[in-house]
Amino acid sequence: MARPRATAEFKSKILTESFMAKIVRIEALGQSQEQTVTVQGWLADKTDKGKLQFLRVRDGTGVIQATLFHKSVSPEAFEAAKHAPQESSVRVTGQVRAEPRAPGGYELSVTEFEIVQAARDEYPITPKEHGIEFLMAHRHLWLRSSRQHAILRIRATIIQATRHWLDTNGFLLVDTPILTPAAVEGTTTLFETDFYGEPAFLTQSGQLYNEANAMAFGKVYCFGPTFRAEKSKTRRHLSEFWMVEPEWAFGTLDDYMNVAEQMVSHVAQTVLKERAAELAVLERDTTCLEKIVAPFPRISYDEAVEIIRAKGDANFKWGDDFGAPDETLISEQFDRPVFVHHYPTAMKAFYMAPDPQRPEVCLSADLLAPEGYGEVIGGGQRSDNLEYLEAQLEKHHLPRAPYEWYLDLRKYGSVPHCGFGLGVERTVAWLCKLDHVRETISFPRMMDKMYP
RNA sequence: UCCGCGAUAGCUCAAUCGGCAGAGCAUGCGGCUGUUAACCGCAGGGUUCAAGGUUCAAGUCCUUGUCGCGGAGCCA
């Protein structure tokens, strides 16, 4: 018994000395200069110079160039590195040195190299160009690339900044259900599912439940996934996307626009400040982002129609919805996001409050992002009038029974209230200036696309 | 759902008028002590999306289908 035990202890000591240097994440390597540390990650890329190899190791927090000199590591380790395929998982130990020739400014002079797993097949995604179809089919691997890292880090910051702003401005997070008994707005296509034998639908908005929560808590927001079964194949549509929806009691159309522009400004400025490196990876022109500061210009639907008639479609009919080119045209008139308010009542959801002075338009507003990104926010003041909503349900051919609870909110202390929904993916696409929202979420769900 | 374009090596693409299936990258082997999407040499790699048709001959022309991309509508 004594001998094997001693052997185990001996092995353990060797491991401690040779492989178990302090494990450091790449983003923190600058604080370990001249120290010997271990980095755990994946072999992103490699350049073989004969008796010198450059390994670029990625650990999720960054990429570090590791140099292996033939004389500095064991012959076995050197040979193993030479034959390690791309994306093999590795553990490298070496001294951290400032090195101007290395990308990132730091380099690891390797003394120990260990392969956790040698990649078993040729890694499909090479440093060269690929088509979008191929990349989407390999989305699970594409996420390892620097561009996707930058986008998803910015997404995380956008979400964090949004929630932080709401949390510190009196809004309470009260999430709303994802399984719902009926269409919230009754217009768009919903994904149907089976709820104990009864039809149920994946939510397309937390809107109506938000109103109940606002009457209970004053200022609330929900943050969650939203589902639309529309057969839309465009650069701005996903079947599953995330939306943040603030809603508050005693709020008006103007209050909504004030809150939304403050929130969006905070988010944009936070990204600018905290994600400069990621914006640089994406080659984002940040002067456009610097301009995203409240107040935002506000124009009425009527004025927007005038712009379209003057600079685009001269025959644009009052009452029509804006198409993508129309939205682009309107947003091009301004260097920051623009609110378009007082849309025709007939165009908007049944619960929007009509303008008392002019009932053919309602107290709604959309926020159009610049650079052609279109509508990133939709919202407005909700009707607080029981009789009006009853009439609206009828007009929109919606059954009353599923909305009884919603009508109750107008019976027990009804107050003016407002809210809005911000599309997370569109906001990410805009702030990152991406061609398509499919890159703004780790695994996009699009029409007829569920793999991976 | 509608309109347009496309599908050839693992990837990105080429192939003239219908006449021998090609390149770069990737991969494998060899060389190189400062590479940055390295470089040099050698090698392997194809059901040309599917089914049918025209033809002496089809990657190429015709028909149908499948899938993808771009745009529109609808929306955040």
Side-chain angles (χ1 to χ4, degrees), chain A residues 265-290:
Chain A
S265 303
H266 171 76
V267 169
Q269 296 314 308
T270 303
V271 167
L272 207 45
K273 198 169 72 196
E274 294 179 7
R275 292 299 182 195
E278 285 76 9
L279 291 169
V281 168
L282 299 172
E283 296 178 326
R284 178 57 160 123
D285 176 6
T286 51
T287 56
C288 300
L289 300 182
E290 283 157 16

Side-chain angles (χ1 to χ4, degrees), chain A residues 389-402:
Chain A
L389 284 173
E390 285 172 336
Q392 280 292 92
L393 285 177
E394 224 164 283
K395 200 168 165 185
H396 286 78
H397 308 293
L398 295 169
R400 184 184 167 117

Side-chain angles (χ1 to χ4, degrees), chain A residues 381-440:
Chain A
Q381 192 172 328
R382 327 303 190 184
S383 173
D384 50 33
N385 183 289
L386 179 62
E387 286 72 27
Y388 177 77
L389 284 173
E390 285 172 336
Q392 280 292 92
L393 285 177
E394 224 164 283
K395 200 168 165 185
H396 286 78
H397 308 293
L398 295 169
R400 184 184 167 117
Y403 292 94
E404 267 322 326
W405 67 267
Y406 184 71
L407 296 173
D408 269 359
L409 304 175
R410 276 73 184 175
K411 290 183 192 168
Y412 304 106
S414 191
V415 298
H417 61 288
C418 66
F420 65 95
L422 175 139
V424 170
E425 286 74 16
R426 284 190 183 176
T427 303
V428 176
W430 163 39
L431 297 184
C432 292
K433 200 170 169 106
L434 306 180
D435 294 338
H436 201 294
V437 290
R438 63 189 157 210
E439 287 182 69
T440 63

